[in-house]
Amino acid sequence: MAKPTSSSSSSSSESGSDSSPAAAAAAAAAPARREIPAEPYPWKRVTLGVFLVFLCWTIGLYRENKDRADHHLRKLQHWGFNHLWSHLSPGSSERLHPLRQPLWNRVHGTVLEIGPGFGESLALVPGGRKGTKVVSKYVVLEPNHFMHDRLATNAAAAGFSVRFDPNTCPEAVDGEQQTLLPPLVIVNGTLDSSDRIPTTVVESGPYDCVISSMVLCSVDDPEQNLENIQKLLKPGGLFVFVEHVRHKDVGIWRRIQDLITPVWALFTGNCRLDRETGNILDTMGGWASVDYRRVSQQQSGVIDKLTPIIYGVATKK
């Protein structure tokens, strides 16, 4: 009985011995298992999602606080334009001086000027210097309160007795009053709405003259401003203006004006290059006459091309 057992054991051993190389060969022939790399974190999708959530939240927050947000944005815009205009105003004054001077010689009586900025042109106003035609009262309506101090300094240097309107400039401090000089009142506000014209502006009228110099390009509603100017003038009163307007010729420069105006307005106090101020004056009623000239180029430069100027006088019926 021992032999069969030995034979069977030997046979089994040989069979196991024969199967080991075959198994090894089969294992070697089998394709190696590839490790699949882990998927990278989807940073782009997450960033886009966060941005969209933030954008929606911002829009919602703005809608809930629109008036306050607009106030702070306008204040920031005024602050920025004040610094920008500090550098640009000397060049602008030099460019506009020959256009302003003959027009400002016609200014007389009770005067309202809208948007005077730093007030460089006040030295041209009769009554600002001795020996010239008298201006009985001068009201300046400047919505950028960052400009008020420098405006007051230039007004005093031009020969006016300056004070601030207490209703719209409560924090301002009046300088020494000179009773022999024509009074000038600085008011914070605009003519964008008939219901929101500052009381001092209304009560000081009606006016013999209203002045606008490079202002109607930046107001919210030029038509409304011109209607209010007309209402504030006496019959026969003068609207004296120097304004840059949209290019007259339909061509490359007009297209450039339209293209860059949205960006330009952000950095220049809402100044728009595409205003049709001359056309508005021509088509609105209430004027006995509208007389102006157009200047497309004073010097050979891009600014002259972007900001052609009209200057003249409109007389109320």
Side-chain angles (χ1 to χ4, degrees), residues 275-292:
R275 287 284 162 86
E276 301 274 12
T277 305
N279 292 343
I280 298 172
L281 283 168
D282 288 335
T283 56
M284 70 180 292
W287 301 115
S289 64
V290 178
D291 181 23
Y292 64 85

Side-chain angles (χ1 to χ4, degrees), residues 17-195:
S17 178
D18 291 340
S19 63
S20 293
R33 179 183 296 176
R34 294 191 305 172
E35 292 186 2
I36 300 175
E39 184 178 350
Y41 193 78
W43 288 111
K44 291 183 179 179
R45 283 180 289 173
V46 171
T47 303
L48 178 60
V50 171
F51 172 75
L52 291 175
V53 170
F54 177 76
L55 180 63
C56 293
W57 175 78
T58 303
I59 293 173
L61 189 64
Y62 171 75
R63 287 178 175 176
E64 291 180 3
N65 303 275
K66 184 178 184 302
D67 291 340
R68 194 165 75 175
D70 288 345
H71 171 74
H72 287 298
L73 287 173
R74 180 59 64 90
K75 189 174 181 180
L76 178 63
Q77 190 179 46
H78 282 174
W79 175 83
F81 184 67
N82 173 63
H83 288 280
L84 177 65
W85 197 241
S86 297
H87 300 286
L88 298 181
S89 60
S92 177
S93 295
E94 182 179 357
R95 179 192 182 197
L96 298 178
H97 181 80
L99 308 181
R100 284 171 169 165
Q101 192 165 28
L103 296 177
W104 266 239
N105 285 335
R106 300 180 63 177
V107 173
H108 64 280
T110 305
V111 181
L112 169 66
E113 181 171 0
I114 63 172
F118 295 134
E120 297 95 334
S121 64
L122 288 171
L124 300 175
V125 176
R129 297 167 303 193
K130 294 181 179 180
T132 60
K133 190 186 300 182
V134 174
V135 172
S136 57
K137 187 174 185 179
Y138 206 96
V139 179
V140 292
L141 187 62
E142 175 52 61
N144 191 334
H145 73 277
F146 292 104
M147 293 182 166
H148 285 179
D149 288 342
R150 189 166 170 184
L151 171 59
T153 299
N154 287 333
F160 289 94
S161 179
V162 183
R163 71 177 181 86
F164 291 90
D165 174 36
N167 297 319
T168 60
C169 308
E171 298 178 358
V173 179
D174 292 335
E176 183 179 354
Q177 300 298 298
Q178 303 291 331
T179 56
L180 298 179
L181 298 176
L184 182 145
V185 184
I186 298 175
V187 185
N188 192 336
T190 70
L191 298 181
D192 283 325
S193 171
S194 298
D195 300 331

Side-chain angles (χ1 to χ4, degrees), residues 191-263:
L191 298 181
D192 283 325
S193 171
S194 298
D195 300 331
R196 297 182 180 179
I197 299 176
T199 303
T200 299
V201 172
V202 176
E203 292 180 348
S204 298
Y207 297 92
D208 295 291
C209 301
V210 176
I211 299 175
S212 170
S213 181
M214 309 299 268
V215 176
L216 295 176
C217 59
S218 60
V219 299
D220 292 336
D221 188 338
E223 289 86 353
Q224 185 65 61
N225 273 258
L226 287 170
E227 288 178 7
N228 288 330
I229 286 170
Q230 198 175 83
K231 291 176 183 177
L232 290 167
L233 280 168
K234 295 178 180 178
L238 305 180
F239 172 46
V240 178
F241 58 92
V242 179
E243 297 288 344
H244 72 79
V245 294
R246 196 177 189 199
H247 212 280
K248 182 178 181 180
D249 300 326
V250 178
I252 182 64
W253 285 106
R254 183 175 247 198
R255 289 196 290 270
I256 291 175
Q257 284 179 314
D258 294 340
L259 180 64
I260 70 174
T261 286
V263 177

